[in-house]
mmCIF file of all heavy atoms in Angstrom:
data_model
loop_
_atom_site.group_PDB
_atom_site.id
_atom_site.type_symbol
_atom_site.label_atom_id
_atom_site.label_comp_id
_atom_site.label_asym_id
_atom_site.label_seq_id
_atom_site.Cartn_x
_atom_site.Cartn_y
_atom_site.Cartn_z
ATOM 1 N N HIS A 1 11.826 -8.698 -6.370
ATOM 2 C CA HIS A 1 11.064 -8.254 -7.541
ATOM 3 C C HIS A 1 9.810 -7.526 -7.052
ATOM 4 O O HIS A 1 8.697 -8.041 -7.143
ATOM 5 C CB HIS A 1 10.730 -9.448 -8.434
ATOM 6 C CG HIS A 1 11.914 -9.955 -9.204
ATOM 7 N ND1 HIS A 1 12.172 -9.577 -10.499
ATOM 8 C CD2 HIS A 1 12.938 -10.772 -8.836
ATOM 9 C CE1 HIS A 1 13.288 -10.164 -10.926
ATOM 10 N NE2 HIS A 1 13.770 -10.897 -9.920
ATOM 11 N N TYR A 2 10.020 -6.324 -6.546
ATOM 12 C CA TYR A 2 8.950 -5.565 -5.924
ATOM 13 C C TYR A 2 8.202 -4.685 -6.926
ATOM 14 O O TYR A 2 8.782 -4.171 -7.883
ATOM 15 C CB TYR A 2 9.519 -4.660 -4.820
ATOM 16 C CG TYR A 2 9.873 -5.385 -3.544
ATOM 17 C CD1 TYR A 2 11.206 -5.620 -3.201
ATOM 18 C CD2 TYR A 2 8.881 -5.824 -2.673
ATOM 19 C CE1 TYR A 2 11.541 -6.269 -2.020
ATOM 20 C CE2 TYR A 2 9.202 -6.476 -1.489
ATOM 21 C CZ TYR A 2 10.531 -6.700 -1.169
ATOM 22 O OH TYR A 2 10.853 -7.350 -0.002
ATOM 23 N N VAL A 3 6.910 -4.518 -6.640
ATOM 24 C CA VAL A 3 6.092 -3.491 -7.281
ATOM 25 C C VAL A 3 5.467 -2.677 -6.158
ATOM 26 O O VAL A 3 5.426 -3.104 -4.998
ATOM 27 C CB VAL A 3 5.009 -4.093 -8.193
ATOM 28 C CG1 VAL A 3 5.648 -4.777 -9.399
ATOM 29 C CG2 VAL A 3 4.124 -5.077 -7.425
ATOM 30 N N THR A 4 4.965 -1.502 -6.482
ATOM 31 C CA THR A 4 4.496 -0.612 -5.425
ATOM 32 C C THR A 4 3.267 0.169 -5.853
ATOM 33 O O THR A 4 2.979 0.305 -7.053
ATOM 34 C CB THR A 4 5.615 0.370 -5.022
ATOM 35 O OG1 THR A 4 5.187 1.143 -3.900
ATOM 36 C CG2 THR A 4 5.988 1.295 -6.168
ATOM 37 N N TRP A 5 2.532 0.665 -4.869
ATOM 38 C CA TRP A 5 1.471 1.645 -5.121
ATOM 39 C C TRP A 5 1.468 2.629 -3.955
ATOM 40 O O TRP A 5 1.986 2.352 -2.874
ATOM 41 C CB TRP A 5 0.114 0.983 -5.314
ATOM 42 C CG TRP A 5 -0.508 0.346 -4.117
ATOM 43 C CD1 TRP A 5 -1.431 0.878 -3.268
ATOM 44 C CD2 TRP A 5 -0.263 -0.985 -3.620
ATOM 45 N NE1 TRP A 5 -1.775 -0.016 -2.288
ATOM 46 C CE2 TRP A 5 -1.075 -1.162 -2.480
ATOM 47 C CE3 TRP A 5 0.569 -2.037 -4.033
ATOM 48 C CZ2 TRP A 5 -1.085 -2.344 -1.743
ATOM 49 C CZ3 TRP A 5 0.566 -3.208 -3.301
ATOM 50 C CH2 TRP A 5 -0.259 -3.361 -2.176
ATOM 51 N N HIS A 6 0.898 3.777 -4.212
ATOM 52 C CA HIS A 6 0.936 4.885 -3.270
ATOM 53 C C HIS A 6 -0.479 5.301 -2.895
ATOM 54 O O HIS A 6 -1.394 5.247 -3.705
ATOM 55 C CB HIS A 6 1.665 6.083 -3.905
ATOM 56 C CG HIS A 6 1.674 7.311 -3.046
ATOM 57 N ND1 HIS A 6 2.526 7.475 -1.985
ATOM 58 C CD2 HIS A 6 0.930 8.455 -3.106
ATOM 59 C CE1 HIS A 6 2.304 8.654 -1.414
ATOM 60 N NE2 HIS A 6 1.341 9.278 -2.073
ATOM 61 N N LYS A 7 -0.632 5.713 -1.645
ATOM 62 C CA LYS A 7 -1.922 6.214 -1.177
ATOM 63 C C LYS A 7 -1.681 7.297 -0.133
ATOM 64 O O LYS A 7 -0.709 7.226 0.633
ATOM 65 C CB LYS A 7 -2.749 5.080 -0.563
ATOM 66 C CG LYS A 7 -4.149 5.487 -0.120
ATOM 67 C CD LYS A 7 -4.947 4.287 0.365
ATOM 68 C CE LYS A 7 -6.356 4.704 0.769
ATOM 69 N NZ LYS A 7 -7.157 3.552 1.241
ATOM 70 N N GLN A 8 -2.539 8.285 -0.102
ATOM 71 C CA GLN A 8 -2.440 9.324 0.900
ATOM 72 C C GLN A 8 -3.523 9.136 1.953
ATOM 73 O O GLN A 8 -4.688 8.899 1.626
ATOM 74 C CB GLN A 8 -2.551 10.710 0.263
ATOM 75 C CG GLN A 8 -1.334 11.085 -0.564
ATOM 76 C CD GLN A 8 -1.388 12.503 -1.067
ATOM 77 O OE1 GLN A 8 -2.467 13.029 -1.334
ATOM 78 N NE2 GLN A 8 -0.229 13.141 -1.199
ATOM 79 N N TYR A 9 -3.111 9.253 3.204
ATOM 80 C CA TYR A 9 -4.026 9.095 4.332
ATOM 81 C C TYR A 9 -4.238 10.462 4.974
ATOM 82 O O TYR A 9 -3.278 11.182 5.271
ATOM 83 C CB TYR A 9 -3.451 8.110 5.345
ATOM 84 C CG TYR A 9 -4.220 8.030 6.635
ATOM 85 C CD1 TYR A 9 -5.418 7.338 6.720
ATOM 86 C CD2 TYR A 9 -3.747 8.677 7.782
ATOM 87 C CE1 TYR A 9 -6.132 7.276 7.898
ATOM 88 C CE2 TYR A 9 -4.458 8.612 8.978
ATOM 89 C CZ TYR A 9 -5.652 7.918 9.021
ATOM 90 O OH TYR A 9 -6.356 7.861 10.204
ATOM 91 N N ALA A 10 -5.489 10.823 5.181
ATOM 92 C CA ALA A 10 -5.813 12.100 5.822
ATOM 93 C C ALA A 10 -5.774 11.914 7.329
ATOM 94 O O ALA A 10 -6.751 11.487 7.946
ATOM 95 C CB ALA A 10 -7.186 12.593 5.371
ATOM 96 N N GLY A 11 -4.635 12.208 7.919
ATOM 97 C CA GLY A 11 -4.440 11.947 9.331
ATOM 98 C C GLY A 11 -4.455 13.197 10.182
ATOM 99 O O GLY A 11 -4.796 14.294 9.724
ATOM 100 N N LEU A 12 -4.063 13.046 11.440
ATOM 101 C CA LEU A 12 -4.080 14.161 12.381
ATOM 102 C C LEU A 12 -3.102 15.260 11.988
ATOM 103 O O LEU A 12 -3.324 16.433 12.310
ATOM 104 C CB LEU A 12 -3.769 13.654 13.792
ATOM 105 C CG LEU A 12 -4.809 12.728 14.426
ATOM 106 C CD1 LEU A 12 -4.365 12.316 15.826
ATOM 107 C CD2 LEU A 12 -6.176 13.391 14.485
ATOM 108 N N ASN A 13 -2.019 14.888 11.339
ATOM 109 C CA ASN A 13 -1.062 15.886 10.853
ATOM 110 C C ASN A 13 -1.218 16.095 9.348
ATOM 111 O O ASN A 13 -0.246 16.193 8.607
ATOM 112 C CB ASN A 13 0.376 15.477 11.190
ATOM 113 C CG ASN A 13 0.721 15.763 12.634
ATOM 114 O OD1 ASN A 13 -0.068 16.367 13.360
ATOM 115 N ND2 ASN A 13 1.887 15.335 13.071
ATOM 116 N N LYS A 14 -2.464 16.099 8.913
ATOM 117 C CA LYS A 14 -2.833 16.333 7.519
ATOM 118 C C LYS A 14 -2.486 15.123 6.659
ATOM 119 O O LYS A 14 -2.979 14.037 6.925
ATOM 120 C CB LYS A 14 -2.218 17.630 7.009
ATOM 121 C CG LYS A 14 -2.731 18.867 7.774
ATOM 122 C CD LYS A 14 -2.207 20.158 7.192
ATOM 123 C CE LYS A 14 -2.776 21.344 7.972
ATOM 124 N NZ LYS A 14 -2.280 22.647 7.446
ATOM 125 N N VAL A 15 -1.631 15.270 5.649
ATOM 126 C CA VAL A 15 -1.449 14.211 4.657
ATOM 127 C C VAL A 15 -0.267 13.317 5.023
ATOM 128 O O VAL A 15 0.869 13.785 5.173
ATOM 129 C CB VAL A 15 -1.227 14.796 3.252
ATOM 130 C CG1 VAL A 15 -0.954 13.677 2.243
ATOM 131 C CG2 VAL A 15 -2.444 15.616 2.821
ATOM 132 N N LEU A 16 -0.557 12.022 5.180
ATOM 133 C CA LEU A 16 0.484 11.024 5.406
ATOM 134 C C LEU A 16 0.640 10.194 4.140
ATOM 135 O O LEU A 16 -0.317 9.581 3.669
ATOM 136 C CB LEU A 16 0.120 10.112 6.582
ATOM 137 C CG LEU A 16 1.025 8.901 6.813
ATOM 138 C CD1 LEU A 16 2.455 9.330 7.127
ATOM 139 C CD2 LEU A 16 0.476 8.008 7.920
ATOM 140 N N ASP A 17 1.848 10.190 3.584
ATOM 141 C CA ASP A 17 2.130 9.363 2.415
ATOM 142 C C ASP A 17 2.287 7.910 2.844
ATOM 143 O O ASP A 17 3.092 7.600 3.738
ATOM 144 C CB ASP A 17 3.415 9.828 1.721
ATOM 145 C CG ASP A 17 3.246 11.172 1.035
ATOM 146 O OD1 ASP A 17 2.252 11.318 0.299
ATOM 147 O OD2 ASP A 17 4.088 12.067 1.239
ATOM 148 N N CYS A 18 1.512 7.029 2.224
ATOM 149 C CA CYS A 18 1.579 5.597 2.503
ATOM 150 C C CYS A 18 1.983 4.866 1.232
ATOM 151 O O CYS A 18 1.379 5.069 0.173
ATOM 152 C CB CYS A 18 0.223 5.075 2.980
ATOM 153 S SG CYS A 18 -0.370 5.843 4.502
ATOM 154 N N ASP A 19 3.004 4.035 1.343
ATOM 155 C CA ASP A 19 3.481 3.262 0.194
ATOM 156 C C ASP A 19 3.524 1.791 0.563
ATOM 157 O O ASP A 19 3.874 1.419 1.692
ATOM 158 C CB ASP A 19 4.863 3.741 -0.236
ATOM 159 C CG ASP A 19 4.831 5.148 -0.794
ATOM 160 O OD1 ASP A 19 4.434 5.300 -1.960
ATOM 161 O OD2 ASP A 19 5.181 6.097 -0.062
ATOM 162 N N PHE A 20 3.170 0.968 -0.390
ATOM 163 C CA PHE A 20 3.084 -0.475 -0.181
ATOM 164 C C PHE A 20 3.933 -1.167 -1.241
ATOM 165 O O PHE A 20 3.818 -0.868 -2.436
ATOM 166 C CB PHE A 20 1.631 -0.923 -0.263
ATOM 167 C CG PHE A 20 0.724 -0.171 0.674
ATOM 168 C CD1 PHE A 20 0.096 1.000 0.267
ATOM 169 C CD2 PHE A 20 0.521 -0.606 1.973
ATOM 170 C CE1 PHE A 20 -0.727 1.718 1.126
ATOM 171 C CE2 PHE A 20 -0.297 0.107 2.844
ATOM 172 C CZ PHE A 20 -0.922 1.261 2.421
ATOM 173 N N TRP A 21 4.798 -2.064 -0.784
ATOM 174 C CA TRP A 21 5.707 -2.774 -1.673
ATOM 175 C C TRP A 21 5.492 -4.276 -1.485
ATOM 176 O O TRP A 21 5.648 -4.800 -0.375
ATOM 177 C CB TRP A 21 7.151 -2.420 -1.359
ATOM 178 C CG TRP A 21 7.484 -0.974 -1.621
ATOM 179 C CD1 TRP A 21 7.159 0.100 -0.839
ATOM 180 C CD2 TRP A 21 8.195 -0.448 -2.735
ATOM 181 N NE1 TRP A 21 7.626 1.255 -1.395
ATOM 182 C CE2 TRP A 21 8.271 0.962 -2.565
ATOM 183 C CE3 TRP A 21 8.793 -1.028 -3.875
ATOM 184 C CZ2 TRP A 21 8.916 1.794 -3.481
ATOM 185 C CZ3 TRP A 21 9.441 -0.201 -4.781
ATOM 186 C CH2 TRP A 21 9.496 1.190 -4.586
ATOM 187 N N VAL A 22 5.125 -4.955 -2.568
ATOM 188 C CA VAL A 22 4.917 -6.403 -2.520
ATOM 189 C C VAL A 22 5.608 -7.036 -3.723
ATOM 190 O O VAL A 22 5.935 -6.349 -4.703
ATOM 191 C CB VAL A 22 3.414 -6.764 -2.535
ATOM 192 C CG1 VAL A 22 2.703 -6.189 -1.318
ATOM 193 C CG2 VAL A 22 2.752 -6.283 -3.822
ATOM 194 N N LEU A 23 5.834 -8.323 -3.660
ATOM 195 C CA LEU A 23 6.368 -9.033 -4.814
ATOM 196 C C LEU A 23 5.359 -8.955 -5.953
ATOM 197 O O LEU A 23 4.138 -8.950 -5.731
ATOM 198 C CB LEU A 23 6.675 -10.472 -4.447
ATOM 199 C CG LEU A 23 7.774 -10.645 -3.377
ATOM 200 C CD1 LEU A 23 7.964 -12.128 -3.039
ATOM 201 C CD2 LEU A 23 9.097 -10.024 -3.824
ATOM 202 N N ASP A 24 5.860 -8.908 -7.169
ATOM 203 C CA ASP A 24 5.018 -8.588 -8.328
ATOM 204 C C ASP A 24 3.785 -9.473 -8.457
ATOM 205 O O ASP A 24 2.701 -9.004 -8.810
ATOM 206 C CB ASP A 24 5.842 -8.611 -9.618
ATOM 207 C CG ASP A 24 6.713 -9.854 -9.776
ATOM 208 O OD1 ASP A 24 6.514 -10.836 -9.013
ATOM 209 O OD2 ASP A 24 7.593 -9.843 -10.664
ATOM 210 N N TYR A 25 3.915 -10.761 -8.111
ATOM 211 C CA TYR A 25 2.770 -11.657 -8.277
ATOM 212 C C TYR A 25 1.736 -11.516 -7.157
ATOM 213 O O TYR A 25 0.679 -12.144 -7.197
ATOM 214 C CB TYR A 25 3.227 -13.115 -8.392
ATOM 215 C CG TYR A 25 4.175 -13.591 -7.302
ATOM 216 C CD1 TYR A 25 3.717 -13.936 -6.034
ATOM 217 C CD2 TYR A 25 5.546 -13.721 -7.557
ATOM 218 C CE1 TYR A 25 4.571 -14.387 -5.056
ATOM 219 C CE2 TYR A 25 6.419 -14.168 -6.585
ATOM 220 C CZ TYR A 25 5.932 -14.491 -5.331
ATOM 221 O OH TYR A 25 6.794 -14.939 -4.350
ATOM 222 N N ASN A 26 2.024 -10.681 -6.162
ATOM 223 C CA ASN A 26 1.077 -10.458 -5.060
ATOM 224 C C ASN A 26 0.416 -9.084 -5.117
ATOM 225 O O ASN A 26 -0.206 -8.656 -4.139
ATOM 226 C CB ASN A 26 1.789 -10.619 -3.708
ATOM 227 C CG ASN A 26 2.001 -12.067 -3.330
ATOM 228 O OD1 ASN A 26 1.187 -12.923 -3.668
ATOM 229 N ND2 ASN A 26 3.093 -12.355 -2.648
ATOM 230 N N LEU A 27 0.510 -8.420 -6.247
ATOM 231 C CA LEU A 27 -0.002 -7.055 -6.336
ATOM 232 C C LEU A 27 -1.493 -6.982 -6.021
ATOM 233 O O LEU A 27 -1.926 -6.171 -5.195
ATOM 234 C CB LEU A 27 0.273 -6.482 -7.732
ATOM 235 C CG LEU A 27 -0.242 -5.059 -7.973
ATOM 236 C CD1 LEU A 27 0.407 -4.083 -7.004
ATOM 237 C CD2 LEU A 27 0.017 -4.642 -9.422
ATOM 238 N N ASN A 28 -2.304 -7.797 -6.640
ATOM 239 C CA ASN A 28 -3.757 -7.717 -6.424
ATOM 240 C C ASN A 28 -4.139 -8.120 -5.003
ATOM 241 O O ASN A 28 -4.999 -7.486 -4.379
ATOM 242 C CB ASN A 28 -4.487 -8.590 -7.445
ATOM 243 C CG ASN A 28 -4.382 -8.041 -8.857
ATOM 244 O OD1 ASN A 28 -4.201 -6.838 -9.054
ATOM 245 N ND2 ASN A 28 -4.465 -8.917 -9.851
ATOM 246 N N ARG A 29 -3.503 -9.174 -4.488
ATOM 247 C CA ARG A 29 -3.786 -9.594 -3.114
ATOM 248 C C ARG A 29 -3.407 -8.497 -2.128
ATOM 249 O O ARG A 29 -4.144 -8.200 -1.177
ATOM 250 C CB ARG A 29 -3.007 -10.862 -2.768
ATOM 251 C CG ARG A 29 -3.414 -12.094 -3.535
ATOM 252 C CD ARG A 29 -2.546 -13.270 -3.135
ATOM 253 N NE ARG A 29 -2.808 -13.710 -1.768
ATOM 254 C CZ ARG A 29 -2.021 -14.516 -1.072
ATOM 255 N NH1 ARG A 29 -0.887 -14.948 -1.600
ATOM 256 N NH2 ARG A 29 -2.349 -14.894 0.150
ATOM 257 N N GLY A 30 -2.251 -7.898 -2.374
ATOM 258 C CA GLY A 30 -1.792 -6.858 -1.480
ATOM 259 C C GLY A 30 -2.697 -5.646 -1.473
ATOM 260 O O GLY A 30 -3.020 -5.100 -0.412
ATOM 261 N N LYS A 31 -3.125 -5.214 -2.648
ATOM 262 C CA LYS A 31 -3.984 -4.033 -2.735
ATOM 263 C C LYS A 31 -5.293 -4.236 -1.970
ATOM 264 O O LYS A 31 -5.803 -3.308 -1.338
ATOM 265 C CB LYS A 31 -4.268 -3.690 -4.194
ATOM 266 C CG LYS A 31 -3.129 -2.965 -4.890
ATOM 267 C CD LYS A 31 -3.557 -2.475 -6.264
ATOM 268 C CE LYS A 31 -2.495 -1.583 -6.884
ATOM 269 N NZ LYS A 31 -2.909 -1.059 -8.204
ATOM 270 N N GLU A 32 -5.834 -5.406 -2.018
ATOM 271 C CA GLU A 32 -7.080 -5.679 -1.317
ATOM 272 C C GLU A 32 -6.843 -5.814 0.183
ATOM 273 O O GLU A 32 -7.545 -5.204 1.000
ATOM 274 C CB GLU A 32 -7.728 -6.953 -1.862
ATOM 275 C CG GLU A 32 -9.050 -7.327 -1.200
ATOM 276 C CD GLU A 32 -10.126 -6.267 -1.357
ATOM 277 O OE1 GLU A 32 -10.112 -5.534 -2.369
ATOM 278 O OE2 GLU A 32 -10.997 -6.163 -0.454
ATOM 279 N N HIS A 33 -5.848 -6.613 0.557
ATOM 280 C CA HIS A 33 -5.652 -6.918 1.977
ATOM 281 C C HIS A 33 -5.156 -5.712 2.762
ATOM 282 O O HIS A 33 -5.557 -5.500 3.919
ATOM 283 C CB HIS A 33 -4.672 -8.084 2.130
ATOM 284 C CG HIS A 33 -4.593 -8.615 3.530
ATOM 285 N ND1 HIS A 33 -5.589 -9.371 4.101
ATOM 286 C CD2 HIS A 33 -3.642 -8.464 4.487
ATOM 287 C CE1 HIS A 33 -5.258 -9.681 5.341
ATOM 288 N NE2 HIS A 33 -4.081 -9.137 5.598
ATOM 289 N N PHE A 34 -4.312 -4.910 2.169
ATOM 290 C CA PHE A 34 -3.712 -3.795 2.895
ATOM 291 C C PHE A 34 -4.661 -2.610 3.074
ATOM 292 O O PHE A 34 -4.268 -1.577 3.610
ATOM 293 C CB PHE A 34 -2.422 -3.339 2.214
ATOM 294 C CG PHE A 34 -1.266 -4.291 2.403
ATOM 295 C CD1 PHE A 34 -0.103 -4.133 1.670
ATOM 296 C CD2 PHE A 34 -1.336 -5.344 3.301
ATOM 297 C CE1 PHE A 34 0.967 -5.000 1.824
ATOM 298 C CE2 PHE A 34 -0.279 -6.226 3.470
ATOM 299 C CZ PHE A 34 0.885 -6.046 2.731
ATOM 300 N N LYS A 35 -5.922 -2.775 2.656
ATOM 301 C CA LYS A 35 -6.912 -1.751 2.970
ATOM 302 C C LYS A 35 -7.089 -1.616 4.482
ATOM 303 O O LYS A 35 -7.571 -0.594 4.967
ATOM 304 C CB LYS A 35 -8.246 -2.088 2.306
ATOM 305 C CG LYS A 35 -8.247 -1.929 0.793
ATOM 306 C CD LYS A 35 -9.593 -2.329 0.191
ATOM 307 C CE LYS A 35 -9.593 -2.168 -1.331
ATOM 308 N NZ LYS A 35 -10.884 -2.587 -1.934
ATOM 309 N N GLN A 36 -6.696 -2.647 5.223
ATOM 310 C CA GLN A 36 -6.774 -2.587 6.684
ATOM 311 C C GLN A 36 -5.898 -1.482 7.261
ATOM 312 O O GLN A 36 -6.084 -1.059 8.411
ATOM 313 C CB GLN A 36 -6.342 -3.922 7.307
ATOM 314 C CG GLN A 36 -7.303 -5.058 7.084
ATOM 315 C CD GLN A 36 -6.911 -6.276 7.909
ATOM 316 O OE1 GLN A 36 -6.395 -6.157 9.011
ATOM 317 N NE2 GLN A 36 -7.165 -7.461 7.360
ATOM 318 N N THR A 37 -4.933 -1.020 6.479
ATOM 319 C CA THR A 37 -4.012 0.001 6.978
ATOM 320 C C THR A 37 -4.752 1.262 7.402
ATOM 321 O O THR A 37 -4.417 1.884 8.422
ATOM 322 C CB THR A 37 -2.960 0.333 5.914
ATOM 323 O OG1 THR A 37 -2.251 -0.863 5.560
ATOM 324 C CG2 THR A 37 -1.967 1.360 6.429
ATOM 325 N N ASP A 38 -5.768 1.666 6.635
ATOM 326 C CA ASP A 38 -6.529 2.858 6.984
ATOM 327 C C ASP A 38 -7.164 2.724 8.371
ATOM 328 O O ASP A 38 -7.119 3.648 9.188
ATOM 329 C CB ASP A 38 -7.623 3.123 5.947
ATOM 330 C CG ASP A 38 -7.114 3.930 4.768
ATOM 331 O OD1 ASP A 38 -5.897 4.192 4.714
ATOM 332 O OD2 ASP A 38 -7.928 4.295 3.917
#
């Protein structure tokens, strides 16, 4: 039961599409914690 959000990262090869998929009840936790990805 996945939900997702999308973010673009300005990397060395210009725009990198980043997508995050978590179980629906972890959406808020995931959005905050996965900021480490940048």
